[in-house]
């Protein structure tokens, strides 16, 4: 089994450094082979791409724009009345992804409107989200990009976020039925909302699917055919997973910090399940970022680093 591959989320790591380019350089110097950026839109994409290339980093994930932060927006994908703004933001994200050579875009669902009852607006928000995701899948397919849905916990991090469990996300993905939309697994959020990580990782990992696709069709080598739309994992079991993120619970610190999660066990589980995508380090360093990477250096000492092509 190949060792896991890690990416530095420079929107979270290296907060002691003032700019995204400086953080990318620090990530490269720390041994990372990849990086992800939540919202890169405050920097010219060419400058970020140039810095990443200089330090040998692959950029693997960005988010769609959050919307109007002053009004409390945190993504727009499921927000009624904000469809046009979501599509404008998607266009901006695609431009950045292309310039950065970044294959994945997290399509942020957004929050339940202020003062609204979640149960009362869920049907409307589901409808808006499905429409926006079908539109996004078409746009992304034209550029050979993948869209990700990330459940964010509503118990600690964001009580009003619309998409909060892998079960909800999986149901939406099945309704949308587009192979270039996938599930993003943030273990921090999944533990807080549901626990049962071993069972949920095994159950939902096939939906964190990283497979070759062409337009709105997925090429399934195992079936020796081109299959349309949503593919249950039993039809095309060879698909490789796409993106996982990690942080300790409940403090959202380094995987090596005290908390509920046994990361040596979870990393071994991901290896045993054949995960070959990146593991994003999306956590709040408790002190100096580089000193706090001792958990990762220990993993590399034990398991080695992936070779090219793994």
């Amino acid at each position: 089994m190949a060792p896991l591959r890690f990416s530095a989320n420079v929107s979270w790591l290296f907060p002691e450094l003032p700019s995204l380019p400086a953080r990318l350089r620090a990530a490269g110097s720390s041994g990372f082979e990849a990086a992800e950026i939540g919202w890169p839109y405050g920097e010219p994409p060419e400058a970020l791409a140039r810095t990443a290339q200089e330090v040998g980093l692959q950029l693997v994930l960005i988010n769609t724009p959050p919307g109007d932060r002053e009004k409390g927006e945190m993504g727009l994908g499921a927000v009624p009345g904000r469809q046009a703004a979501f599509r404008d933001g998607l266009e901006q994200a695609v431009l950045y992804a292309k310039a950065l050579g970044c294959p994945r875009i997290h399509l942020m669902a957004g929050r339940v409107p202020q003062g609204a009852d979640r149960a009362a607006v869920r049907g409307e928000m589901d409808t808006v989200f499905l429409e926006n995701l079908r539109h996004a899948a078409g746009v992304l397919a034209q550029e050979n990009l993948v869209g990700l849905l990330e459940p964010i916990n509503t118990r600690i991090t964001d009580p009003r976020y619309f998409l909060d469990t892998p079960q909800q996300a999986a149901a939406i993905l099945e309704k949308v039925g587009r192979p270039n939309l996938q599930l993003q697994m943030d273990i921090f959020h999944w533990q807080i909302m549901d626990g049962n990580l071993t069972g949920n990782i095994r159950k939902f990992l096939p939906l964190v699917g990283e497979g070759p696709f062409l337009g709105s069709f997925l090429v399934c080598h195992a079936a020796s055919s081109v299959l349309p739309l949503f593919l249950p994992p039993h039809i095309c079991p060879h698909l490789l997973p796409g993106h996982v993120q990690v942080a300790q619970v409940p403090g959202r610190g380094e995987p090596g910090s005290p908390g509920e999660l046994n990361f040596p066990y979870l990393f071994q589980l991901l290896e045993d399940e054949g995960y070959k995508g990146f593991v994003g380090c999306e956590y709040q360093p408790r002190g100096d970022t580089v000193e706090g990477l001792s958990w990762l250096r220990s993993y590399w000492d034990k398991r080695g680093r992936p070779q090219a092509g793994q």
Side-chain angles (χ1 to χ4, degrees):
M1 292 171 291
L4 298 174
R5 308 171 70 187
F6 292 88
S7 64
N9 189 316
V10 295
S11 296
W12 290 74
L13 303 190
F14 308 103
E16 56 271 20
L17 299 176
S19 68
L20 290 176
R23 295 180 183 190
L24 288 172
R25 293 189 189 95
S29 299
S30 299
F32 284 100
E33 62 174 305
E36 53 201 72
I37 305 173
W39 296 311
Y41 307 107
E43 299 274 356
E46 298 79 10
L48 295 174
R50 183 169 56 251
T51 300
Q53 184 176 22
E54 288 172 355
V55 299
L57 287 175
Q58 176 185 356
L59 288 164
V60 297
L61 177 67
I62 62 173
N63 297 346
T64 49
D68 191 336
R69 297 294 300 277
E70 293 185 359
K71 294 183 179 179
E73 291 182 329
M74 184 63 72
L76 301 172
V79 181
R82 296 290 276 154
Q83 290 93 322
F86 171 80
R87 296 182 184 200
D88 288 344
L90 177 65
E91 289 185 11
Q92 185 182 21
V94 168
L95 289 174
Y96 266 75
K98 290 171 62 178
L100 297 172
C102 177
R104 300 174 188 84
I105 299 174
H106 168 205
L107 306 171
M108 299 195 71
R111 291 169 169 159
V112 173
Q114 186 73 42
D117 178 74
R118 178 181 292 269
V121 300
R122 178 161 183 166
E124 181 183 9
M125 294 188 74
D126 265 333
T127 298
V128 170
F129 204 18
L130 291 171
E131 291 175 353
N132 280 334
L133 290 176
R134 291 188 180 109
H135 170 80
V139 171
L140 296 175
Q142 293 177 9
E143 305 295 344
N144 281 352
L145 299 173
V146 172
L148 302 182
L149 274 61
E150 179 190 12
I152 294 176
N153 82 82
T154 50
R155 289 180 172 161
I156 296 177
T157 301
D158 196 334
R160 288 172 41 221
Y161 204 76
F162 175 68
L163 186 69
D164 63 354
T165 68
Q167 291 85 358
Q168 181 189 5
I172 289 171
L173 285 170
E174 186 165 10
K175 289 177 183 177
V176 176
R178 298 296 188 271
N180 63 328
L181 299 184
Q182 303 168 353
L183 178 62
Q184 180 174 324
M185 178 192 300
D186 189 318
I187 289 175
F188 171 80
H189 296 304
W190 287 27
Q191 168 68 5
I192 290 171
M193 289 304 295
D194 196 43
N196 187 30
L197 286 178
T198 299
N200 282 335
I201 287 172
R202 287 175 173 160
K203 178 178 180 180
F204 292 109
L205 196 60
L207 295 182
V208 189
E210 183 182 75
F213 66 90
L214 178 63
S216 61
F217 293 89
L218 189 69
V219 180
C220 180
H221 302 292
S224 298
S225 62
V226 179
L227 302 176
L229 306 181
F230 178 81
L231 290 174
H234 69 276
I235 294 178
C236 198
H238 77 292
L239 295 180
L240 303 180
H243 204 75
V244 169
Q245 291 175 327
V246 294
Q248 186 56 273
V249 177
R252 209 166 189 175
E254 295 92 339
S257 62
E260 298 175 13
L261 300 183
N262 179 348
F263 275 101
Y265 170 82
L266 292 172
F267 291 155
Q268 186 63 56
L269 176 63
L270 290 171
E271 289 185 28
D272 291 345
E273 293 298 308
Y275 181 68
K276 292 181 173 62
F278 284 97
V279 176
C281 301
E282 186 180 272
Y283 59 76
Q284 297 170 335
R286 296 183 303 160
D288 179 80
T289 300
V290 175
E291 292 180 4
L293 289 171
S294 58
W295 66 271
L296 182 55
R297 292 189 289 270
S298 295
Y299 178 87
W300 284 334
D301 288 342
K302 178 181 178 182
R303 293 291 292 117
R305 304 195 191 196
Q307 301 300 311
Q310 284 187 327

